[in-house]
Amino acid sequence: MTELFLPLWTTLILPLCPMRHNYDYDCFTLSHMLVAVKNASKYFPTAIISRRSREKLYKFVKLTGLFYAGSHGMDIIGPVKKDNIEDGHPNHTITTDKLMCGSSPIPSESAPLNNSRLELSSNIISYSVAAHAPSSSLYSSALSKSKGVLGKFDDAYVSGWLDAMKSSSPPRKQLNMDVISEPSIDETNVAYCTWMMRHPSALTSFEQILSSIRCKKIALFLDYDGTLSPIVDNPDFAIMSNEMRAVVKSASKYFPTAIISGRSCEKVYKFVKLTELYYAGSHGMDIMGPTRKNNFGDGHANYTVKNDELGNGVHLFQAPSEFLPIINEVCSSLVDITEDMLGAKVEYNKYCVSVHYRLVDEKLWPEVARRVLSLVDGYPRLRVTHGRKVLEIRPVIDWNKGKAVEFLLESLGLSNRDDVLAIHMGDDKTDEDAFKVLRDSNIGFGILVSSVPKETNAFYSLRDPSEVMEFLKSLVKWKEDSAIAAP
């Protein structure tokens, strides 16, 4: 076995890993080399043999279809493909570890692999939640406040909000592994690569994803800002590209597709301009879809046909209309109290109001929080949550993007079925509710769009909207190819 794989090691590993002084951190692979190795593994059994641990090898290579022989071959693991492994070998065990679900000749004390309703490929990296992600309402206006005059908050309370505001939108940093311009990888990149082992790229894992979606009906749920369009300083200019629009349109031909956003339905539609989609605005508190009665449960209490800015559409769900006057009043007041704060922007989104502080001097963020919290304190039926450099004011009702996903699946007749797989893609803290619903219900998975490590309930990751577009293209191409191949 060693003689068979040694030439492959000699040929691939040396170019993959440039010689560096710091072996733990400075060894990284070139993107084009990874593609070449991945392509080779499709046709030939491929193994990497090294003195490094197999976990460290995988951290650099990140290809689940290979065999890894770490510690000079004393610790070997590979994808669970029994036809590739000698049956009955005394050291053949199935293990779940930090590297991947695979077969290893080294006995393991790890828990046995569990089969899930998703039927994910056995060589997909296993997931373990280090800590439950906090809910989006963690710093809501219901938190304890200092005693005294209404609207006055102590420094500790505002400081807690300030920490949340900073952590909700970490600095964006793009990784370019094709160009080696620095003598070593910085700690941020190392942290991202480690995080990617738990949340692998949906692009590089596409073959594994296909194994879980074959023979299933797919439903797509997409955030807008930061997912279909780039994050911009002025939210009014968050325009999706024509190419992205064409890809989303193509996807909607094959899969029920919904956009779930903090913006109003009407505002998202003005950006997207696709009548065949479903729109869930105000974080799912206002849901509309095209008029196709056969897609919806007859007699639903919130099922109405309405003419509005969106055109002829099915009004599936709306939060109680009694909140609209309150939201309008608060929106007007927020405009007044932030008028003197350079860069602050108040956005009306029908059932919620957004206060953007991306362009506000960071020194003034505590004052932004103080003014918003003080105002909303006078409205016990409203709460404040935070997203990517934005404070959201919305009704205190048990509704979020996760509830919207559940509602749409039920309305489409896709809930409680074993042949359905839902995919939600988003970049914001508010998308975590949808990721968690899919994970807990075992009906699908989330894809977090982020170029920096974040605690998340998503299974996979993509770096930015350009990768989202490539993923959607791959889905459409797979579906088109499947249709051609079908008799």
Side-chain angles (χ1 to χ4, degrees):
M1 182 68 72
T2 302
E3 289 76 15
L4 289 174
F5 285 112
L6 185 57
L8 188 58
W9 175 86
T10 304
T11 303
L12 297 180
I13 294 303
L14 291 179
L16 275 171
C17 179
M19 294 302 294
R20 299 282 182 175
H21 296 299
N22 188 331
Y23 297 105
D24 288 334
Y25 296 99
D26 292 345
C27 180
F28 55 91
T29 55
L30 305 179
S31 296
H32 63 276
M33 180 62 76
L34 288 177
V35 172
V37 174
K38 182 178 180 180
N39 289 336
S41 68
K42 294 179 181 179
Y43 304 102
F44 318 111
T46 306
I48 297 180
I49 305 174
S50 172
R51 68 180 182 277
R52 297 176 183 268
S53 69
R54 56 186 172 84
E55 290 85 2
K56 192 167 292 184
L57 274 178
Y58 181 80
K59 181 178 73 173
F60 293 131
V61 182
K62 298 189 286 291
L63 294 177
T64 56
L66 307 186
F67 297 84
Y68 293 84
S71 304
H72 297 287
M74 290 185 286
D75 188 7
I76 305 174
I77 197 168
V80 179
K81 298 176 181 176
K82 292 187 177 180
D83 57 320
N84 289 344
I85 305 171
E86 181 181 354
D87 292 336
H89 193 286
N91 287 321
H92 179 147
T93 60
I94 305 297
T95 64
T96 300
D97 64 5
K98 295 179 181 178
L99 178 59
M100 68 179 99
C101 300
S103 57
S104 172
I106 306 301
S108 171
E109 297 179 359
S110 301
L113 179 65
N114 294 321
N115 292 324
S116 72
R117 178 174 163 188
L118 289 181
E119 299 177 0
L120 293 174
S121 174
S122 54
N123 60 354
I124 293 180
I125 300 173
S126 58
Y127 177 87
S128 60
V129 181
H132 179 68
S135 68
S136 60
S137 60
L138 180 62
Y139 297 100
S140 71
S141 59
L143 287 177
S144 59
K145 309 175 181 65
S146 61
K147 304 296 182 181
V149 181
L150 180 65
K152 298 295 182 180
F153 299 90
D154 59 27
D155 291 338
Y157 180 69
V158 174
S159 177
W161 261 97
L162 180 61
D163 291 340
M165 292 164 71
K166 290 179 178 179
S167 65
S168 65
S169 186
R172 291 169 291 181
K173 184 178 182 65
Q174 297 295 331
L175 301 178
N176 186 351
M177 305 305 286
D178 289 323
V179 180
I180 305 175
S181 58
E182 298 293 333
S184 64
I185 304 177
D186 61 34
E187 293 182 1
T188 301
N189 290 355
V190 172
Y192 184 75
C193 291
T194 303
W195 178 80
M196 285 280 288
M197 294 179 66
R198 291 189 292 127
H199 309 287
S201 167
L203 288 177
T204 58
S205 304
F206 191 72
E207 292 298 323
Q208 287 82 9
I209 291 175
L210 284 186
S211 68
S212 69
I213 65 178
R214 287 189 176 96
C215 301
K216 289 184 178 290
K217 185 175 181 62
I218 301 171
L220 289 177
F221 301 94
L222 310 170
D223 182 29
Y224 181 76
D225 294 276
T227 300
L228 299 181
S229 71
I231 293 294
V232 294
D233 291 337
N234 189 332
D236 292 337
F237 300 145
I239 309 297
M240 70 186 302
S241 67
N242 290 331
E243 187 179 6
M244 178 69 86
R245 182 177 293 104
V247 171
V248 174
K249 182 181 179 68
S250 297
S252 68
K253 294 178 182 178
Y254 300 105
F255 320 113
T257 303
I259 296 181
I260 307 179
S261 173
R263 296 176 185 261
S264 67
C265 280
E266 292 78 11
K267 192 167 292 184
V268 177
Y269 177 76
K270 286 181 179 179
F271 285 128
V272 181
K273 301 173 185 174
L274 294 175
T275 57
E276 51 267 71
L277 304 187
Y278 303 89
Y279 294 87
S282 304
H283 300 287
M285 286 184 282
D286 187 12
I287 304 177
M288 290 193 69
T291 306
R292 295 172 185 169
K293 292 186 177 181
N294 59 313
N295 285 346
F296 306 105
D298 292 335
H300 195 287
N302 289 313
Y303 179 96
T304 59
V305 177
K306 179 182 179 181
N307 289 321
D308 62 3
E309 295 181 38
L310 209 56
N312 291 324
V314 179
H315 227 86
L316 292 174
F317 175 89
Q318 280 189 314
S321 58
E322 61 195 75
F323 284 105
L324 293 177
I326 303 174
I327 293 292
N328 289 331
E329 181 179 324
V330 168
C331 182
S332 177
S333 298
L334 286 170
V335 171
D336 291 339
I337 66 173
T338 60
E339 188 177 12
D340 63 334
M341 304 193 76
L342 184 63
K345 180 175 178 61
V346 177
E347 183 181 18
Y348 172 74
N349 288 310
K350 194 170 185 176
Y351 283 96
C352 67
V353 183
S354 303
V355 180
H356 300 270
Y357 54 88
R358 182 175 297 275
L359 296 179
V360 176
D361 189 323
E362 190 170 335
K363 295 177 182 178
L364 296 177
W365 288 6
E367 184 59 24
V368 174
R370 190 183 303 276
R371 293 186 187 186
V372 172
L373 293 169
S374 296
L375 174 65
V376 178
D377 183 61
Y379 296 86
R381 303 187 65 190
L382 301 179
R383 62 173 175 152
V384 183
T385 61
H386 61 86
R388 294 185 65 173
K389 290 190 171 66
V390 61
L391 297 177
E392 306 269 12
I393 296 88
R394 42 177 149 162
V396 180
I397 59 175
D398 185 21
W399 201 261
N400 51 46
K401 287 187 177 182
K403 298 283 187 181
V405 167
E406 290 180 316
F407 182 88
L408 279 166
L409 287 173
E410 180 181 358
S411 299
L412 290 163
L414 301 179
S415 58
N416 301 318
R417 288 173 50 174
D418 292 330
D419 62 341
V420 172
L421 188 139
I423 301 174
H424 180 86
M425 287 186 270
D427 73 313
D428 198 71
K429 188 178 182 64
T430 57
D431 295 295
E432 291 298 324
D433 295 313
F435 296 155
K436 187 176 187 303
V437 161
L438 296 183
R439 177 177 289 278
D440 291 349
S441 64
N442 225 6
I443 198 174
F445 55 81
I447 300 177
L448 177 66
V449 183
S450 177
S451 61
V452 295
K454 293 181 182 180
E455 191 63 38
T456 181
N457 286 296
F459 197 100
Y460 295 103
S461 64
L462 293 169
R463 296 193 186 203
D464 51 39
S466 67
E467 289 199 352
V468 171
M469 184 165 62
E470 290 305 311
F471 180 81
L472 292 176
K473 283 182 179 179
S474 298
L475 268 184
V476 171
K477 184 178 185 303
W478 163 74
K479 192 65 176 179
E480 291 174 343
D481 291 346
S482 299
I484 294 174

